[in-house]
């Protein structure tokens, strides 16, 4: 999520809330009711496809995981930028592997 914050700040001039301000309820996690379990600032909304440039993609590490563990920013042509375990940053294709882990898409209002 730190990379998402930096991209929004330096490329768009938008200050996103700290991830710690996004409130989780692991006890009642349900992907269909995600708005009830993650409260974001009034300027961030959950959206569905189609993806737009600068959408924040939020992933689960595994399908059994009840919390988001990875984030990236959609950059176009079915690609997104994120941080890997062994890489400071990388561009990956939003393929079946990543789509299977996609928890949700956050968009800053007005984007």
């Amino acid at each position: 999520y730190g990379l998402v914050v930096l991209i929004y700040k330096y490329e768009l001039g938008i200050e996103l809330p700290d991830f710690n301000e996004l409130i989780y309820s692991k006890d009642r996690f349900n992907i269909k009711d995600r708005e009830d379990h993650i409260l974001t600032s009034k300027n961030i909304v959950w959206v569905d496809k189609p993806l737009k440039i600068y959408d924040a993609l939020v992933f689960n590490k595994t399908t059994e995981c009840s919390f988001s563990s990875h984030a990236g920013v959609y950059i176009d042509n079915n690609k997104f930028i994120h941080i890997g375990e062994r890489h400071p940053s990388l561009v990956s294709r939003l393929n079946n592997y990543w789509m299977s882990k996609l928890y949700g898409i956050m968009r800053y209002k007005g984007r």
Side-chain angles (χ1 to χ4, degrees):
Y1 185 73
L3 180 64
V4 174
V5 170
L6 290 174
I7 290 172
Y8 269 70
K9 181 176 182 178
Y10 292 108
E11 292 297 318
L12 303 173
I14 297 170
E15 297 273 346
L16 291 179
D18 188 284
F19 196 74
N20 292 330
E21 293 177 26
L22 305 180
I23 302 168
Y24 262 96
S25 174
K26 289 193 265 183
D27 300 332
R28 300 179 346 190
F29 180 86
N30 181 336
I31 195 160
K32 292 178 183 161
D33 299 324
R34 64 182 176 243
E35 287 104 25
D36 295 337
H37 305 301
I38 297 180
L39 306 175
T40 61
S41 82
K42 292 177 183 176
N43 293 323
I44 298 174
V45 294
W46 288 101
V47 297
D48 294 315
K49 292 181 183 178
L51 294 168
K52 292 184 180 180
I53 294 175
Y54 295 115
D55 278 349
L57 307 173
V58 181
F59 300 96
N60 286 342
K61 190 172 185 177
T62 66
T63 54
E64 297 82 32
C65 192
S66 63
F67 58 91
S68 298
S69 57
H70 196 71
V73 175
Y74 186 74
I75 56 174
D76 206 9
N77 279 340
N78 210 35
K79 294 179 184 173
F80 69 104
I81 187 168
H82 59 121
I83 295 175
E85 287 183 25
R86 296 182 181 98
H87 305 281
S89 65
L90 63 149
V91 173
S92 295
R93 189 163 295 286
L94 196 54
N95 56 21
N96 289 340
Y97 171 80
W98 286 108
M99 288 305 292
S100 71
K101 297 181 178 307
L102 184 63
Y103 168 70
I105 305 162
M106 291 190 296
R107 184 174 295 152
Y108 191 84
K109 284 186 182 177
R111 291 287 326 141

